[in-house]
Every structure is written in structure tokens, then in C-alpha cells.
Amino acid sequence: MNVINYSIIIPVFNRPDEIEKLLDSISVLNFDNEFEVVIVEDGSTLSSESVCSRFRESVNINYLFKPNSGPGDSRNYGMHHAIGNYFLVLDSDCILPEDYLQNVDRYLRQNYVDCFGGPDAAHATFTDLQKSINYSMTSFLTTGGIRGGGEQLGKFQPRSFNMGISKKAFIATGGFGKIHPGEDPDLSIRLWNKGFKTVLIKDAYVYHERRISWKLFYKQVNKFGKVRVVLNKWHPETRKITYWFPTLFSLFFIVSLILSTLGYGFPILLYLIYVLAIFIHAGIKNGLKVGLGAIVAAMIQLLGYGTGFLHSWLKIKLLGQDEKKAFPKLFFK
């Protein structure tokens, strides 16, 4: 195996405070070999350049500025300008544990793969809202654990908040596309079609400090649902019945509420059992407040994704509309 030289690629848009936290965690990584950090300012009006300057003595930083074109294109821009042969792609709202790069390097030297993803964890200092949303995004009870390190049925699709990709694989695929969100599963599928493998490295977790509200969380997961229909159209071989589960969950929830008003309470009882399981599991792990918050987060996630998926399916699949005309806000030019 050739020597692995790492370049950490971080797009940022008006988030200098996030970059400061991330760079602070990078500056104390337990890793002996040299690596670079490529910060790609995506047309921000709140610059991170001064923050980057404060870390230049402790971190090898390559600061780049470009017009706004979205996170996917910014990651590609950063990888084009990076000097490493293996790129570690992170979101600006992540914080790295001290052994992150050490764990990545150990795995790749023993089981080299051209693309990997790592789990999403919540730091002890996160707010109850952040912990609740993190639970919903990572728990087996809500997503099957796709972001939390759970085992997957089928191939693992790395997410770009914490993703590694070799220079070879980047060149072969051209990197991320113009869709957002959804640019990361789209890249994973194109990697598979080129013969590359993707894996989950469980020990390569990051603390994902989402700056989010309940309203923004709904907006995010609703987009996730819409995007999945687009990806199914682009890559029909990856369609799964499980992608319909949140929509069926949403529709049956409405039916259950109607039936409960007519005196048929058993269907809604199933939902109560489900949310009780979430409350107990999240509460044991994170406390009572997070247990209650996890119920809210899980319902927002499932209903938001489910309605977004149905909306997109009706427009794109049933009515045959072009995805870029039906949902222009999902695409960067």
C-alpha cells in the first residue's frame, strides 16, 4: 500500500465560530504524521480567514475563497487544490475527538478502502435540543442507526459530514454533484458503479454540533425525503421498499388519529408504544429531558421525511415532472 497523506476538506458558509471550534479540536489531534486542512470559504459574507490565521502555527491550513456554489462543489474545489492523496471531508459544525485521525489511519492501513464514512455522536456539552436531534438521527429506533455506527443491510452510504475518499476515487467520479442535500449518497452510488467499495469505520466518529431549531430540523428532513425520490430516479437499481416506511408511518398516523376519534384506539396505541420505547431508550442514555425531546425529534423526522418523500414522488414519479423544475431549491447551478 502506498503512503497515505491526508488532507482535511472543510467547506464553510458564514460560520467562523464553527470553524474556530473545529480547528481547535484539530490542533490537538493525537497524530504524528503531517496533514493539511483545506478551508473553502463558499462566498461567505462572514469570513473565517482571521480565525484560520490564529491557528496557522499549530495547523497546516490552506485557506481558499470562492463564489458561492454550494457545499458539494466547494468540497470538489478543496480536493482539487489539496496536496494529499486521501481526503477527509467534514462539515464545519463538527468537532473531532483527539484520536479521530489516529483511528482512521489505523483502519486504512489494515483494511484499505477508497471511501468510508464515520458515525455521528453527541458531545456531553451539547444542548438538550442538540442531543435530542442527534438521538433521532442516529438511533436504530428511528433511522436504523445509519449515522450512529449501526450495522447496515446492504452497502453503507457515507455521509459528507464525516467522510473519507481517496484522490483516485475522487478523480474517477468527479466528486460531488450539484444536488443538496443528497450529494453524498449520489456520490456513494457512483463510486459503487465505478467498482469502489465503501465502509463504515465505527471508531472514526465526530461530534456533530448542529446549529438547528425544530423548524429548521423539519425543513432539513423534509428535503431528505424529497431528495430520495430524485436519487431513486437517477439510480433505479438502489430503490428499496424501506424508503417508503416514513411515508407509510405518516399516513397511518393520520388514519390512527381519525380512528381514535371514532372509538378505535388500538392503532394509536401502537404509536404510543413506539414513542414510549424512544423515551425510555433515549432517557436512559441522556436523561429525562432528552428522552422527551427525542420523541419530538423522532416524530418531526419521520413525518417530515415521509411527507417530503410523498410530495416528491407525486410530482416526479406520478406526474412526470422534471426534478429541477419541480424542486429548484434542491439544486445549485
Side-chain angles (χ1 to χ4, degrees):
M1 183 185 66
N2 296 327
V3 176
I4 304 176
N5 296 312
Y6 297 101
S7 292
I8 299 177
I9 313 297
I10 308 166
V12 59
F13 180 70
N14 290 337
R15 299 290 179 89
D17 54 335
E18 290 182 352
I19 284 297
E20 184 170 14
K21 286 188 176 184
L22 178 50
L23 288 176
D24 188 51
S25 69
I26 290 174
S27 69
V28 295
L29 286 175
N30 292 326
F31 193 67
D32 295 331
N33 298 334
E34 292 185 1
F35 62 93
E36 74 164 338
V37 177
V38 181
I39 305 292
V40 183
E41 194 87 69
D42 186 25
S44 301
T45 55
L46 295 176
S47 173
S48 300
E49 187 171 12
S50 61
V51 172
C52 293
S53 297
R54 295 201 298 270
F55 285 90
R56 290 193 184 279
E57 292 187 5
S58 57
V59 181
N60 178 21
I61 297 177
N62 181 10
Y63 174 83
L64 306 171
F65 185 93
K66 53 175 281 299
N68 180 254
S69 60
D73 188 61
S74 296
R75 297 181 191 113
N76 293 343
Y77 187 86
M79 289 187 278
H80 275 300
H81 289 80
I83 61 175
N85 59 12
Y86 208 103
F87 309 129
L88 304 177
V89 181
L90 301 171
D91 277 357
S92 62
D93 58 354
C94 289
I95 300 172
L96 302 186
E98 291 184 357
D99 57 354
Y100 172 82
L101 194 47
Q102 200 173 62
N103 290 336
V104 169
D105 189 64
R106 182 186 303 113
Y107 183 96
L108 292 179
R109 292 185 185 280
Q110 296 174 355
N111 310 278
Y112 183 82
V113 67
D114 284 286
C115 182
F116 75 87
D120 176 346
H123 195 272
T125 61
F126 285 8
T127 66
D128 290 337
L129 173 64
Q130 289 171 328
K131 290 178 181 178
S132 298
I133 291 176
N134 179 270
Y135 174 87
S136 181
M137 295 290 283
T138 61
S139 173
F140 176 79
L141 291 173
T142 52
T143 64
I146 61 173
R147 290 170 177 253
E151 295 292 344
Q152 298 302 299
L153 296 175
K155 298 177 181 179
F156 179 72
Q157 297 182 1
R159 296 301 193 266
S160 54
F161 71 90
N162 178 17
M163 179 181 189
I165 180 172
S166 71
K167 184 175 183 178
K168 176 183 176 182
F170 167 65
I171 293 174
T173 57
F176 295 95
K178 293 288 189 178
I179 191 171
H180 179 72
E183 70 274 21
D184 30 20
D186 172 60
L187 176 56
S188 294
I189 297 166
R190 289 187 286 109
L191 283 165
W192 299 338
N193 293 338
K194 292 284 186 179
F196 294 102
K197 294 182 179 179
T198 59
V199 299
L200 169 70
I201 302 180
K202 289 185 177 182
D203 291 334
Y205 64 90
V206 300
Y207 300 117
H208 201 178
E209 191 178 19
R210 298 176 179 87
R211 303 298 178 86
I212 203 166
S213 64
W214 291 127
K215 182 179 179 180
L216 290 175
F217 182 51
Y218 173 83
K219 183 178 179 180
Q220 180 186 58
V221 295
N222 188 258
K223 285 184 177 180
F224 288 162
K226 292 175 180 175
V227 160
R228 180 51 65 181
V229 177
V230 177
L231 296 177
N232 287 347
K233 177 183 176 181
W234 291 355
H235 310 286
E237 73 280 6
T238 65
R239 288 179 296 187
K240 297 179 182 178
I241 188 64
T242 52
Y243 294 144
W244 275 96
F245 285 0
T247 298
L248 297 176
F249 177 95
S250 303
L251 294 175
F252 188 64
F253 180 68
I254 296 173
V255 172
S256 297
L257 289 175
I258 295 173
L259 289 175
S260 67
T261 63
L262 300 176
Y264 300 96
F266 180 73
I268 203 67
L269 179 62
L270 297 177
Y271 282 91
L272 293 176
I273 294 172
Y274 174 67
V275 298
L276 180 62
I278 290 175
F279 171 72
I280 293 173
H281 189 239
I284 291 174
K285 293 179 65 177
N286 300 288
L288 179 62
K289 288 184 178 179
V290 176
L292 292 171
I295 295 175
V296 178
M299 294 302 290
I300 289 176
Q301 181 175 337
L302 291 166
L303 294 174
Y305 186 104
T307 53
F309 184 94
L310 181 60
H311 183 199
S312 186
W313 183 86
L314 290 172
K315 280 195 168 186
I316 295 173
K317 185 67 176 178
L318 189 64
L319 299 179
Q321 295 183 15
D322 178 79
E323 57 271 19
K324 292 183 179 180
K325 292 182 178 180
F327 303 106
K329 292 184 179 180
L330 298 179
F331 298 90
F332 282 91
K333 295 181 180 180

